[in-house]
Amino acid sequence: MRFTPDAADVLIDILRWRRDVRHFRRDPVPEETIARLAAVMELSPSVGNSRPWRVLRVCDPALREAVAANFERANCAAACAYDDEARNEYMRLKLAGLREAPEHLAVFTEIDPAEGRGLGRRTMPETLAFSTAMAINTLWLAARAENLGLGWVSILEPREVEQLLDVPPSWRLTAYLCLGQPAFEDDTPLLHRVGWQENVAQGWQVR
């Protein structure tokens, strides 16, 4: 199949307006939309066709609250790593939408899947986690195409989350995601807009 320039333009728009969302509306995401996103995620590539991502929808309010408490502890510890001025700036940032987002998705990597029979990962086992990350990016773009926002909460103690969600010992937390209608739309990364870190272009190099 050959795509038109119009399709390329749409993809660029989706990429430009894809943001790490932390401000959500509480409107529920329709189940049919969740099903479409899950199906699109299955189109992602993976090392050796191992498909190592494992996704849990976290719906239990007590579990969600425990994850939010985990974030708050980790966030306070992270703030202590900065000097006073930077710490105050850090604490003003909104870095998660855990209590507003209607959907919580915990995404794990199976670190020793039978699928793929080891192809492509013997010298680079980290390609399993890379494959999960690519699946997350696929989900992120698909969510944006559905006019939804996705936010990656990385300020967590992963082993605690694994224990909390009682996952198999061969699952490693790769991402905890918030999904829902964004409270507002923006084509500029929030951390750029608030002055924490501007976009830095990384040009291609030639050897």
Side-chain angles (χ1 to χ4, degrees), residues 172-192:
R172 295 289 180 269
L173 182 69
T174 301
Y176 197 93
L177 306 174
C178 295
L179 175 70
Q181 292 281 350
F184 57 88
E185 294 184 349
D186 197 349
D187 66 348
T188 303
L190 182 62
L191 294 180
H192 182 140

